[in-house]
Amino acid sequence: MAKRSKFKPKTGGKAHNRAAEKINPFEIHVNRSKHDVLGRKRKEDRGLPGIARAKALKKREKTLLQEYKTRHKSNLFVDRRIGENDPTLDPEKKIALRLAAVKTKHANRKSMFNLNDDDFLTHGGKTLDDDNIDDRMAFSDDEDDQVLDAQFVKERHFAGGFLTKRETGDEEKPKSKKEWIDEIIAESKKKKAEAKKDKEEQYEAVSKLDANLNTFLMMMSGKTIKDEDKLEAKKNCEFRDYDTLVKELGFDRTGKAKTSSKLKTPEELIKEEKEKLLALEADRVRRMKGEPEPSKHTSRSADDLDDGLIFTEDDRFHLSYKDGAMLEEEKGNDDNDPENDNKSMDEEGAEDEETENEDEGVDSDLEDGDDLEDDESDKYSDIFDEESGDEDNDNENDTQETEKTKDHSVAGDKRKEIMEAARKEIPYTFEVPQEYDAFWALLENRSPKEVSVILERTIACNHPSLGAQNKDKFEDLCTYILQTLNVLTEESGDSPVRGVPPMSYVDVLIPHLYTVTQACSSGVANSFRQFVFLKVAGVLFPSSDYIHPVMTPVITFLSQLLGQAKVNTKRDITAALFTSYLLYEYLSMSKRFVPELPNALNGLLSLSIEAKKKVKLPINPPFKRFGAASSLLLLENNIEEETLPKLSLASLNDKGKEITDNFKVNVLSKTVKLLHCLCDCWSKLPSVKALMEPTAKILEAICLDHYPSSLKEMITGLKSAIDCLPGPKQALVKEAKKPKSLKMYEPAIERVIEGMKKSVGTKDFQEKQKLLQKLKRERKGAKREIQRDTAFLARQQLMETLQSDAERKRKVNQIMAGLQSQESDHKKLKLKKF
Amino acid sequence: MKAENRRPVRKKTEGGPSFPTQRLQALLDELISDNYDHQKCITNLKEHTECHDFLFYTLKSLSIIVKKHNKESVTEVYMNNLMLVLEQMNIPDATDSLIVCTKLFREEKDKDGKKITSNSKLNLSYPKAKRAINTIWNEVISYPLTGSLYRRCLILIPEKVMHHLEKPIRLTGFFMDAYDLGGALSLLALQGVFILVNKYNLDYPNFYQKLYGLLEPTIFHAKYRPRFFMLMDRFLSSTHVPEYVIAAFIKRMSRLSLSAPASCLILILKFIANLLIRYPGLQLLIHNPDATNLEDDPFDPDEPDMSKCRACESSLWEVATLQQHVVPSISKATGFLEKTLPIMEYDISELVEATYEEVHEKSCKLIVHETVATTFHKPTGLFTHHDDKMSDDWCVL
């Protein structure tokens, strides 16, 4: 076949090697080269045509001839017995090999349905082994196959069987096959018996328990469980173990993520919290600049703190501790247990409910008794936190945590008393009412604290993580809360309890509104477009974003208020000041610019100037230089040093109060203070000096004779601050553009190698040429092979014909010879007769 | 009154070609009474003034009435009535007046069912009408006018009357008086002056100076804001205005933008951009790499003389400030500071009437997505949340 034989001797036998060395020189055929190149080795300068031909012939005899011979046969017999064709194997080895083959075949059939041999099915973070499923009742007997221990099967059946045994333990005499199989059978029978015994024992125990439960239920049917019973049950230690066990189990179910986070030290937790806040802050800064989101990563919101908690089926979602107190996680988890149990039961369908209630009723009741203490204390600690939070405002999450623990220890006793009173009144689960009136009825006659508790429980019971339909409920709830806010803050707003000012409820509502917003931001955002609660909006949504569906309208509305609302009464002044403060708060983070704000503040300043002096002052609409309300805040009497009270939101609702001197001073000082803040806030703007010039002029015109000295100081401070503002240092320059580079073509680099044929064309073309050439060569070779095959077959056929001819000739001769001898005999006989 | 009002039509149809001049005069005498406001009836006249013969005779009789009237005893009611009548009349141009007149008259006849061809007998001549108009208006501007009447005159004269007058230059004094009254009137007066300068070769050197003086913060709150900006756009579109004047205007506008309401800011910015496109030499105001080490803005906002206010040496820092404006659309409109200016000017005609409500509505149209950003610090009360600046000075109760 191969024309050129290889000169390298094969590494196989020595005889062959020697034969190759002793090549007959007459068999070598030398190809003459036309141009001899020195130092170049050519592969094809010599060949061994005789040997090559013989090789090819041999190969054809092995393949083509065989086929030729069996050309008329439709089937053929192949001996595939293991080791049958190999004469070197001894019979025992042969048997072992065959046995191994059989076992693997079986194993394959079984493992066909095993998806993953290494991985086990898991549930709740634990493997589903027989060890873990203790309570599984396998009463049926048709699972006998599985009685054999997996380990046993693995050892005995597959792991090499006695072959491996023999290799490892050399001294022992190998067991025969029969012994081996006997052993296997005995082992499996033993295991089977053991399993059966276990099963029976388990069954007995369960049926006993069932019977006990029935009698117990009969016994308890007439009784209702009271609080005293619960307390007693709590003291009774018998169930403590069971309770803790249940808790542990429940805790285990939440998965590994929680346990790992629980192991962290408080410092680590604080650090983590800080990192989270940092990341959120970075995101906020990005939104402030109006940059697009950096990646396709879609964060649910800026406040998606809860690690995908919403998406897991975690029933123990608790709200009040969302960020801070991981340490109290366990407690918090338990708090909501009774409610959640009820909730989950509701969802499981009506049929199961009855029976399950019977089963679990006892347990959960006992649990309740246990948990009541923690439950109450936690809920109320929240309220206490709120109160303390009111006092010191910058209550960061980090500090909150420590405070909470303090609260627990210090105020514990007092709280219990309050708890006792309140617990009797407020139920634990609340449905979100269908109508606003029903919602209002819920809150009626409740103190602010109680309202807070009610709202918290409502939120906990109807959290969207407990079911998809709760999302709609949350949106409803949000509208209710906003509506309540609306009612509370109206001029004639009525309070749930008589005598308590309606405004005192506002603070209580805000945190809950926040929680609702966290859970379904888009719903709340939608309802915020309908009634713009200007301040609340800023609490719930980031004001610094470049563009935001809630905050942008709010800010434009605020600026419109400042730009157009006329100031004629005391209420107007307070409202204008409030709006200015609010706008400043929203701007302070992003340091953005609103012309209306300094305008309005200048106008407020100008209210305390005489009309005569105002002719040349830069006062812009809606404030007027002259008119009845143009000098509302002009001070006419001397004012002593006084403490200036905080302005109140509630005062926006009472109309037509007398403008006292104290109020005048208060407004002026607040305005000056805010202007000072604005100065600082906008100090980076290029034309801040021009912006503040009118303010400086107005300040000059204010007659300071009557004012207390502290206010005078404030005003001079503001003046100096305006004087110190930097003017523009440099004219505007456009950013230099990058020079545009000339269009370049790809450099044409050719590989030039001496002595080689220069190939023309692109790389693809060359590749194609190469392949075409190869194809041509291959085709040629194949053609030649086919010719040789035909020649071989023809020769074979000729040989067969010759052979059969010769045979025939021989037979004819034989017959003829026979006939001749017969004839001669006959003739001889005839001659004898005659 | 209505019946009286119908009378001319009836009379006219009966009288045929000869117009009932006497009756009309009596009617007008009654309408332009000294002491009764005939607003309703006069507005009814409007449909008749479409017929040119009626118009012609009205003008004629009006001129007689005005001449007869005693100048000393002019009351406000009288002026109101007169002005209302004048406002109703839409005097056609000289070129096509005769043809259109006769045609309309005949149609009027056709409508009434009497087909009388009487074109030839009509003597509606434009010169006569013109004379009548001249006499009327000469009298009117000599009366002492109140604010609102002034305003109506100033709107009516440049739009409808001016081209019928023989010597419009005579109005200059009238306009200058109006300008001195200040406010919106001065603006309207400027429009008349502009037409005089533009069409009647009035030499009025202080025109731009006066316009510059009108640029005050109150202009953004004035009722005639859209008209003002459209006019200013027209005034400043001249190619013969020196650059320092335009620079002063630009700088003044940008300075005003620091106290302008949000609804006007886009207009101001586009206006400035338009001026910069019109006068490429002034792009120094937004790109001046040579001017460094400035102490302060060289521009003097209080200087009324445009040549002395040094606007050319300044730069538009105010626009750079507006880049930080809260409203996203405004901060985007300042894009011309960084990008190259477009070749075509912006169309400001839609922007001149923008209001706060529109700005607010536009911002309300933002779509609320599922992933609305929220704050991430839990608040404990209305004034007690993470980055609260108000709690020092405000409380709920």
Side-chain angles (χ1 to χ4, degrees), chain A residues 54 307 318 326 556 630 723 739 764:
Chain A
D307 305 315
H318 65 108
M326 290 289 246
T556 51
S630 64
D723 284 341
D764 286 345

Side-chain angles (χ1 to χ4, degrees), chain A residues 417-622:
Chain A
E417 295 170 13
I418 311 166
M419 265 181 260
E420 284 301 319
R423 189 178 49 182
K424 282 166 192 163
E425 292 172 7
I426 306 170
Y428 292 102
T429 55
F430 289 94
E431 276 297 302
V432 175
Q434 297 291 316
E435 286 169 1
Y436 171 69
D437 290 341
F439 181 73
W440 182 253
L442 263 185
L443 303 184
E444 205 125 44
N445 294 323
R446 303 281 188 193
S447 70
K449 283 178 195 173
E450 289 170 337
V451 165
S452 170
V453 174
I454 290 174
L455 280 176
E456 185 171 334
R457 288 180 188 172
T458 318
I459 289 168
C461 293
N462 297 292
H463 201 274
S465 61
L466 300 176
Q469 79 277 13
N470 280 347
K471 197 151 192 185
D472 299 337
K473 284 188 192 169
F474 248 48
E475 280 170 23
D476 287 350
L477 188 63
C478 164
T479 345
Y480 297 153
I481 297 179
L482 289 177
Q483 176 69 28
T484 317
L485 267 182
N486 197 15
V487 170
L488 290 175
T489 50
E490 260 174 33
E491 257 173 74
S492 56
D494 47 346
S495 164
V497 181
R498 266 175 205 208
V500 181
M503 284 288 193
S504 61
Y505 284 87
V506 173
D507 260 356
V508 176
L509 289 176
I510 297 299
H512 300 296
L513 198 54
Y514 173 81
T515 328
V516 175
T517 314
Q518 291 306 307
C520 57
S521 52
S522 68
V524 181
N526 272 321
S527 50
F528 254 82
R529 321 183 109 207
Q530 287 150 21
F531 13 81
V532 181
F533 287 75
L534 304 167
K535 170 68 186 164
V536 184
V539 177
L540 302 182
F541 297 104
S543 52
S544 58
D545 282 16
Y546 180 74
I547 192 161
H548 190 280
V550 175
M551 290 317 287
T552 308
V554 165
I555 293 176
T556 51
F557 181 68
L558 284 176
S559 59
Q560 184 182 352
L561 279 184
L562 284 183
Q564 288 189 328
K566 291 195 168 53
V567 174
N568 290 326
T569 60
K570 180 189 173 186
R571 186 192 162 274
D572 292 346
I573 293 170
T574 326
L577 203 54
F578 179 75
T579 319
S580 309
Y581 260 94
L582 205 52
L583 200 53
Y584 166 66
E585 188 189 321
Y586 292 163
L587 300 174
S588 58
M589 192 71 96
S590 55
K591 306 224 184 309
R592 310 262 291 280
F593 171 66
V594 177
E596 282 89 350
L597 188 48
N599 253 2
L601 290 176
N602 286 345
L604 283 177
L605 279 186
S606 73
L607 290 181
S608 32
I609 301 176
E610 284 176 84
K612 281 184 253 165
K613 284 188 182 176
K614 281 200 225 176
V615 183
K616 287 205 167 177
L617 286 181
I619 296 163
N620 294 336

Side-chain angles (χ1 to χ4, degrees), chain A residues 196-230:
Chain A
K196 205 173 181 184
K197 202 179 156 197
D198 275 358
K199 231 186 268 173
E200 276 166 6
E201 273 174 14
Q202 219 171 0
Y203 179 73
E204 237 165 70
V206 169
S207 48
K208 199 176 164 191
L209 272 177
D210 275 353
N212 279 349
L213 181 70
N214 279 335
T215 52
F216 180 70
L217 282 177
M218 293 268 277
M219 218 164 70
M220 298 295 287
S221 59
K223 269 195 174 181
T224 49
I225 295 169
K226 290 169 194 164
D227 290 350
E228 298 91 68
D229 291 338
K230 284 176 188 171

Side-chain angles (χ1 to χ4, degrees), chain A residues 61-296:
Chain A
E61 271 170 6
K62 263 184 197 165
T63 57
L64 193 59
L65 189 61
Q66 299 303 321
E67 269 179 54
Y68 177 73
K69 276 178 181 167
T70 59
R71 68 190 184 281
H72 295 307
K73 293 187 172 146
S74 55
N75 55 2
L76 80 170
F77 180 78
V78 183
D79 189 1
R80 284 208 176 120
R81 284 175 295 170
I82 295 169
E84 199 61 29
N85 290 331
D86 192 355
T88 53
L89 283 175
D90 46 340
E92 240 178 48
K93 232 180 195 173
K94 231 187 265 177
I95 290 168
L97 275 179
R98 285 176 192 173
L99 196 67
V102 168
K103 298 289 180 204
T104 46
K105 210 177 174 188
H106 272 285
N108 280 341
R109 194 194 297 158
K110 194 184 172 190
S111 63
M112 201 156 66
F113 301 104
N114 285 350
L115 294 178
N116 244 340
D117 277 339
D118 298 333
D119 295 339
F120 298 102
L121 290 179
T122 57
H123 182 261
K126 284 199 167 182
T127 55
L128 280 179
D129 283 344
D130 285 352
D131 313 12
N132 290 334
I133 310 174
D134 287 332
D135 52 347
R136 194 174 61 93
M137 293 284 155
F139 294 124
S140 63
D141 285 335
D142 50 8
E143 293 172 87
D144 285 347
D145 294 347
Q146 291 174 7
V147 171
L148 275 182
D149 185 342
Q151 180 61 27
F152 177 81
V153 171
K154 202 180 168 193
E155 262 180 27
R156 302 292 159 87
H157 287 192
F158 306 123
F162 52 52
L163 276 179
T164 47
K165 271 271 159 66
R166 199 170 60 175
E167 278 164 21
T168 50
D170 313 80
E171 298 97 18
E172 273 183 37
K173 209 200 160 202
K175 290 171 184 170
S176 73
K177 190 189 171 192
K178 189 158 188 295
E179 280 173 343
W180 184 256
I181 293 195
D182 283 348
E183 199 178 293
I184 291 173
I185 291 168
E187 188 80 11
S188 65
K189 274 187 178 168
K190 197 175 131 199
K191 292 244 167 179
K192 229 186 260 180
E194 275 173 15
K196 205 173 181 184
K197 202 179 156 197
D198 275 358
K199 231 186 268 173
E200 276 166 6
E201 273 174 14
Q202 219 171 0
Y203 179 73
E204 237 165 70
V206 169
S207 48
K208 199 176 164 191
L209 272 177
D210 275 353
N212 279 349
L213 181 70
N214 279 335
T215 52
F216 180 70
L217 282 177
M218 293 268 277
M219 218 164 70
M220 298 295 287
S221 59
K223 269 195 174 181
T224 49
I225 295 169
K226 290 169 194 164
D227 290 350
E228 298 91 68
D229 291 338
K230 284 176 188 171
L231 284 174
E232 219 166 289
K234 187 206 144 199
K235 278 173 198 163
N236 200 347
C237 285
E238 209 180 324
F239 291 100
R240 280 300 264 199
D241 296 344
Y242 177 75
D243 283 342
T244 48
L245 200 65
V246 165
K247 275 179 205 165
E248 271 172 22
L249 275 176
F251 186 68
D252 270 358
R253 265 204 295 161
T254 56
K256 283 171 186 170
K258 276 226 168 140
T259 45
S260 69
S261 64
K262 222 187 131 189
L263 290 173
K264 282 173 186 166
T265 59
E267 291 86 52
E268 277 177 325
L269 286 173
I270 289 165
K271 202 180 151 195
E272 209 170 65
E273 197 62 36
K274 261 185 191 169
E275 276 168 10
K276 249 181 217 168
L277 285 178
L278 277 180
L280 288 170
E281 184 64 22
D283 190 39
R284 192 193 63 75
V285 168
R286 181 188 58 70
R287 280 187 275 125
M288 180 169 94
K289 289 173 184 163
E291 289 164 6
E293 231 164 295
S295 65
K296 59 209 174 277

Side-chain angles (χ1 to χ4, degrees), chain A residues 242-407:
Chain A
Y242 177 75
D243 283 342
T244 48
L245 200 65
V246 165
K247 275 179 205 165
E248 271 172 22
L249 275 176
F251 186 68
D252 270 358
R253 265 204 295 161
T254 56
K256 283 171 186 170
K258 276 226 168 140
T259 45
S260 69
S261 64
K262 222 187 131 189
L263 290 173
K264 282 173 186 166
T265 59
E267 291 86 52
E268 277 177 325
L269 286 173
I270 289 165
K271 202 180 151 195
E272 209 170 65
E273 197 62 36
K274 261 185 191 169
E275 276 168 10
K276 249 181 217 168
L277 285 178
L278 277 180
L280 288 170
E281 184 64 22
D283 190 39
R284 192 193 63 75
V285 168
R286 181 188 58 70
R287 280 187 275 125
M288 180 169 94
K289 289 173 184 163
E291 289 164 6
E293 231 164 295
S295 65
K296 59 209 174 277
H297 165 73
T298 52
S299 63
R300 187 172 61 89
S301 73
D303 314 272
D304 200 352
L305 287 184
D306 32 33
D307 305 315
L309 216 52
I310 280 178
F311 303 109
T312 58
E313 281 295 309
D314 182 9
D315 288 355
R316 279 154 300 285
F317 189 88
H318 65 108
L319 302 150
S320 43
Y321 296 87
K322 195 177 259 178
D323 315 335
M326 290 289 246
L327 282 176
E328 299 188 358
E329 189 111 72
E330 209 171 1
K331 241 180 212 171
N333 283 345
D334 298 336
D335 290 345
N336 294 332
D337 250 348
E339 293 149 16
N340 286 322
D341 276 357
N342 294 345
K343 189 73 205 168
S344 61
M345 262 187 263
D346 288 349
E347 288 167 4
E348 272 173 24
E351 300 161 31
D352 302 337
E353 210 168 23
E354 287 178 6
T355 53
E356 262 180 44
N357 268 335
E358 279 174 13
D359 290 345
E360 286 186 20
V362 184
D363 296 343
S364 63
D365 278 351
L366 289 171
E367 236 177 289
D368 263 3
D370 177 28
D371 289 334
L372 269 176
E373 289 294 331
D374 293 346
D375 195 351
E376 289 299 328
S377 63
D378 267 319
K379 295 263 154 79
Y380 278 94
S381 71
D382 270 359
I383 300 162
F384 276 90
D385 278 348
E386 273 159 28
E387 284 167 353
S388 61
D390 282 355
E391 283 148 27
D392 50 77
N393 313 308
D394 303 315
N395 214 354
E396 296 258 344
N397 282 326
D398 307 3
T399 52
Q400 250 176 17
E401 194 180 341
T402 52
E403 247 173 62
K404 257 174 209 168
T405 46
K406 258 187 230 165
D407 262 6

Side-chain angles (χ1 to χ4, degrees), chain B residues 154 157-158 162 171 175 186-198 200 202 207 231 235:
Chain B
L154 287 171
I157 292 175
M162 209 133 129
L171 288 170
F175 284 139
S186 25
L187 164 69
L188 295 172
L190 274 186
Q191 186 185 2
V193 174
F194 180 76
I195 293 174
L196 288 179
V197 171
N198 199 8
Y200 302 102
L202 177 73
F207 179 74
L231 283 176
F235 299 160

